[in-house]
Amino acid sequence: MQHIHSYRPAGEISDPPVDVVTLPHDLRHLRRKLLHLSNGDMVMLDLKEAVLFHHGDRLVLENGDTVEVRAAPEKLFEVKARDPLHLIELAWHLGNRHLSAQIEEGRILILRDHVIRSMLQGLGATVTDIDEPFQPARGAYHAHGGHDHGSHGHHAHD
């Protein structure tokens, strides 16, 4: 079984990966874990510190090959507003409840919750069930939350 001790951010490596590992958002914050690849192989991820992986990041195997991290489709609500100000208000209400949210220019994605759906609809939002990869914004207090590639150089943890 191969081990992984380093990684590279999405877009930094142009060579195709040898395989992929697909994980939902809550399982992409990792330090040490046995990962099951799409081809059935297993690899041991063993980093010095926990990392929040994003869709497209690459795990570097001992032999130099890479495995791409993919965000798994998840059951989400797509929240749309009447206008940009309304979208900001909806984002505020979600943030006030400390909910993970992927905030985009014309919509917000959140994990499905029927109570939150009712609240959002009561606030005038259009809420639609969708299945998509989820990459929520991380709060300011998460050490690796922003996944700041610049502060760690090339992420070599050998």
Side-chain angles (χ1 to χ4, degrees):
M1 175 184 316
Q2 288 208 59
H3 286 74
I4 297 166
H5 300 290
S6 64
Y7 64 99
R8 301 288 183 263
E12 189 174 287
I13 298 174
S14 60
D15 293 341
V18 295
D19 208 344
V20 299
V21 59
T22 304
L23 301 166
H25 84 281
D26 61 341
L27 295 181
R28 291 195 308 267
H29 191 244
L30 302 166
R31 189 192 77 73
R32 182 173 166 78
K33 183 169 179 67
L34 187 63
L35 299 174
H36 298 267
L37 306 181
S38 66
N39 69 4
D41 288 348
M42 293 186 293
V43 295
M44 175 55 77
L45 177 72
D46 189 10
L47 302 174
K48 292 184 191 249
E49 59 186 42
V51 174
L52 174 61
F53 289 102
H54 287 229
H55 183 83
D57 286 348
R58 296 286 188 91
L59 308 174
V60 182
L61 297 165
E62 292 170 310
N63 67 3
D65 289 339
T66 64
V67 172
E68 183 176 348
V69 176
R70 289 196 183 152
E74 300 187 54
K75 295 187 177 304
L76 306 171
F77 287 149
E78 178 183 60
V79 181
K80 291 196 172 182
R82 294 183 300 269
D83 55 49
L85 179 58
H86 187 223
L87 191 70
I88 293 168
E89 291 170 355
L90 295 171
W92 182 88
H93 282 284
L94 294 169
N96 193 43
R97 285 155 183 81
H98 303 282
L99 295 175
S100 295
Q102 180 176 328
I103 301 170
E104 299 177 357
E105 188 172 332
R107 67 182 188 163
I108 301 170
L109 302 179
I110 60 170
L111 295 171
R112 291 183 193 172
D113 178 320
H114 71 281
V115 172
I116 298 301
R117 172 184 229 145
S118 294
M119 176 199 75
L120 290 166
Q121 289 173 328
L123 292 167
T126 301
V127 182
T128 306
D129 292 358
I130 62 168
D131 290 351
E132 285 187 24
F134 187 43
Q135 188 67 58
R138 293 294 187 196
Y141 299 109
H142 292 268
H144 257 304
H147 199 64
D148 180 11
H149 300 299
S151 67
H152 292 287
H154 287 102
H155 298 292
H157 295 285
D158 298 312

